[in-house]
Amino acid sequence: MNEHEFAELAAGHALNALSPEDAAAFDAALAEHPEWEHYAHSDAATVAALSDSVAEVPPPRALRSELLERIASVQQDHPAQTAAPASSLESVPVVPTVESRRRAWGPRAWFALAASLVLLVGVGGGAVVIAQQLNQPVAVVALERIEAAPDAQEASTTLSDGGTATVHWSESVGEVVLVSDGLPTIGDDQSYELWFVRDAGAISAGVFEPGDDGDATALLAGEMSPGDIIAVTVEPSGGSPTGAPTSDPIFAIATA
């Protein structure tokens, strides 16, 4: 089991929703990799915070039918795989694996299930809290995972016009997030592009668009190497057409 698969199981473990097979796999992985325990602590704390934050109230009468309709729509959005022609399966044993089930139930799916169960018993305003958790952007979720990691690191810089930019990363989580405010306004035909800058050159880490106030939380695509410099340039809409920066960076943050 790799670290990403363990992180997915940690959400189900916090909700006591793992199958016996996945529970055994979770315990075995934790025993082999105690450094991954922060995932379990973080998810358990989230569940505890949600359950302790609101008082129980009777749910609306129409809630059960609405939830069942939503569950049905999820099943339609994720139908079972179409069977291959029988001739192609004659010599292939079809055995469902723990890994296949695990891929089907990522962290957001586990917490969506939790939200449904909580709504069924009725937690009033708690439904809003859970919905906010589920609807968080991917970059915000990644930032929370980084900040909860024991090896979380960050580095910041001040922009020329007074804004700030901070890079957050964790080697154990394997993700890098840029948080910035006060970014300059750029044209509609332009995009901000992220870069990992190292001795071999600059490697694109994706494009992002800040909000109207210049604030942004962006998850970098790709893997950071020790000592990388995280830079941002202004490029044509959609990113550099050459795969390399076409302008000087508006800022660059060293991570070593």
Side-chain angles (χ1 to χ4, degrees), residues 4-15 17 43 46-47 50 74 78 101-117 129-145 175 219:
H4 178 71
E5 291 171 337
F6 179 84
E8 290 183 341
L9 286 184
H13 181 267
L15 295 164
D43 289 341
T46 299
V47 172
L50 291 174
V74 169
H78 303 279
R101 289 193 301 272
R102 189 177 301 132
R103 285 193 294 269
W105 284 89
R108 290 177 65 83
W110 284 119
F111 282 101
L113 173 62
S116 297
L117 294 176
V129 176
I130 296 174
Q132 291 171 344
Q133 291 285 335
L134 293 174
N135 292 326
Q136 289 186 109
V138 172
V140 174
V141 174
L143 178 61
E144 292 177 349
R145 291 166 65 86
E175 293 175 319
L219 174 64

Side-chain angles (χ1 to χ4, degrees), residues 27-84:
D27 292 337
L30 183 57
E32 184 177 355
H33 298 281
E35 70 275 14
W36 294 350
E37 189 173 7
H38 65 90
Y39 291 110
H41 287 317
S42 176
D43 289 341
T46 299
V47 172
L50 291 174
S51 63
D52 293 341
S53 61
V54 292
E56 183 173 321
V57 298
R61 290 187 176 183
L63 185 57
R64 180 178 184 277
S65 59
E66 180 181 348
L67 282 173
L68 292 176
E69 290 177 2
R70 292 187 182 184
I71 292 171
S73 68
V74 169
Q75 292 173 337
Q76 292 172 0
D77 291 339
H78 303 279
Q81 295 182 352
T82 302

